[in-house]
Amino acid sequence: MASNTNSGIGGSQDKSSLVVCFGEMLVDFVPTVGGVSLEEAPAFLKAPGGAPANVAVGISKLGGSSAFIGKVGKDEFGYMLAGILKENNVDNSGMRFDPNARTALTFVTLRGDGEREFLFFRNPSADMLFHESELDLSLIEQAKVFHYGSISLIEEPCRSTQLAAMKFAKRSGSLLSYDPNLRLALWPSPEAAKKGIMSIWDQADVVKMSDEEITFLLGCNPNDDDVVLKELFHPNLKLLLISLGSAGCRYYTKKFKGKVEGFKVEAVDTTGAGDAFVSGVLYNLASDINLYQDEEKLREALRFANGCGALTVRDRGAIPALPTKAAVLEFLQKPPA
């Protein structure tokens, strides 16, 4: 049984399975103790973050091939982030350094009531000032999967840069993967967030969302399959995933739908759980691009992705907590009761 799981997950990974992640990379400051508000935190641990960068590192730590495209400040934090990508075997040749803007900072905590609290420093930060002329098109052209979020859509010039990158990736034959990764505090208003997130909805081949994001976008029960399919499953979409935290995930394709149960673990910090889940999905998708057509293979990959998320919440910070493939496979063989 274990050997089948091992051979069926991911397969061989090389440059032909490259996942290119586009967007923000920043420094997360996480409280040194759990269950407190930002105000109550006695001190903070510095950790690299930013959803697209987290996904790139997650894929690489699983043994996959990944690259990150984005902009940071020409400052110590920016150099630190580029170095962390390199240390984790992520191709960082698509990174750009802005001499006139700082690397973005975020203070994030999981409060005692289970809610996450964010405080962003982007006024503007370097990632918001990424210009289309700075894109590494040769890197995008190699992507089997091109992954992105919605935060880069908030301001120009990075909005136009993301749209151009998506268009070029699609033209180059890449599968487009979209995780909206709602951060409401960064948008001018809830209405602007809904409009911005949905403005590129019909271009993605794969979309991952949380149940909270569905409630925000649709104002309905995220468990209502009929509404979810009617409102969110567009003609070009190949796979829609809804992450449910420790409860697992739901999946929808043109042929089938279902749920894969998650794992109950003691959570220390949930910051990178969704990104770890996406890493697990894209790691498998990059080596088997038609994975979504085989329900048994898809369910196996989603169980693996759920394991990635479960392991990540057991440590602080996003990137430092992302698991290796060996750790995930060991966890799946002996999951918690």
Side-chain angles (χ1 to χ4, degrees):
M1 183 73 177
S3 61
N4 288 339
T5 303
N6 194 14
S7 61
I9 293 293
S12 61
Q13 294 268 339
D14 53 34
K15 279 292 183 182
S16 65
S17 302
L18 180 66
V19 179
V20 174
C21 301
F22 174 96
E24 70 281 0
M25 188 174 192
L26 43 86
V27 181
D28 283 334
F29 286 89
V30 185
T32 51
V33 296
V36 297
S37 68
L38 292 176
E39 183 181 2
E40 295 165 338
F44 294 88
L45 177 71
K46 177 184 65 177
N54 292 345
V55 172
V57 173
I59 291 166
S60 180
K61 288 184 80 168
L62 291 171
S65 176
S66 66
F68 173 74
I69 292 179
K71 198 173 191 182
V72 293
K74 195 173 184 178
D75 52 40
E76 291 305 311
F77 282 144
Y79 297 136
M80 178 193 81
L81 294 175
I84 287 168
L85 290 180
K86 189 174 181 180
E87 287 166 17
N88 285 282
N89 299 312
V90 176
D91 184 338
N92 66 3
S93 61
M95 287 185 78
R96 301 295 179 258
F97 299 84
D98 195 316
N100 301 311
R102 297 298 189 196
T103 300
L105 309 178
T106 301
F107 289 78
V108 57
T109 186
L110 180 68
R111 299 189 318 223
D113 59 8
E115 289 298 311
R116 281 197 292 175
E117 188 179 345
F118 292 92
L119 181 60
F120 301 96
F121 288 81
R122 306 168 82 235
N123 301 307
S125 52
D127 59 291
M128 301 162 68
L129 303 174
F130 197 8
H131 292 267
E132 183 179 344
S133 60
E134 297 175 299
L135 281 172
D136 187 339
L137 296 180
S138 64
L139 187 57
I140 297 173
E141 196 172 22
Q142 299 172 50
K144 193 78 167 281
V145 178
F146 184 73
H147 177 72
Y148 50 88
S150 70
I151 289 175
S152 294
L153 299 173
I154 298 173
E155 299 277 358
E156 292 289 358
C158 58
R159 173 180 166 81
S160 293
T161 305
Q162 173 166 331
L163 296 177
M166 289 166 54
K167 185 177 180 180
F168 186 79
K170 193 73 170 178
R171 202 165 63 227
S172 300
S174 303
L175 194 81
L176 297 193
S177 166
Y178 182 28
D179 177 1
N181 193 39
L182 175 67
R183 295 290 179 263
L184 198 52
L186 294 177
W187 292 87
S189 67
E191 293 71 27
K194 289 178 186 177
K195 184 179 178 182
I197 287 169
M198 297 307 295
S199 68
I200 59 170
W201 196 264
D202 61 353
Q203 298 183 49
D205 298 295
V206 176
V207 173
K208 174 265 174 188
M209 322 177 60
S210 67
D211 47 355
E212 294 97 337
E213 286 166 342
I214 287 184
T215 301
F216 170 75
L217 286 175
L218 303 182
C220 72
N221 181 348
N223 297 314
D224 189 331
D225 283 351
D226 292 337
V227 175
V228 168
L229 286 169
K230 180 184 175 185
E231 298 295 331
L232 299 179
F233 206 96
H234 62 77
N236 298 322
L237 193 57
K238 296 176 173 65
L239 176 62
L240 173 63
L241 298 171
I242 301 174
S243 59
L244 307 170
S246 62
C249 66
R250 299 210 310 279
Y251 60 89
Y252 305 84
T253 73
K254 291 175 181 175
K255 296 180 181 177
F256 46 76
K257 63 182 180 180
K259 181 182 178 183
V260 177
E261 293 297 328
F263 304 97
K264 299 285 193 296
V265 295
E266 189 171 339
V268 174
D269 179 10
T270 61
T271 306
D275 300 329
F277 173 82
V278 173
S279 299
V281 172
L282 297 186
Y283 166 72
N284 283 286
L285 198 56
S287 60
D288 184 0
I289 210 71
N290 295 311
L291 179 71
Y292 60 88
Q293 295 179 355
D294 184 322
E295 188 168 13
E296 186 178 344
K297 284 185 178 179
L298 177 63
R299 289 183 64 86
E300 187 179 0
L302 293 177
R303 184 170 183 267
F304 179 85
N306 285 343
C308 291
L311 284 175
T312 301
V313 304
R314 302 201 301 191
D315 206 351
R316 286 195 173 86
I319 284 177
L322 293 166
T324 62
K325 181 178 178 179
V328 178
L329 293 176
E330 183 181 356
F331 175 79
L332 293 179
Q333 288 173 12
K334 296 179 181 178

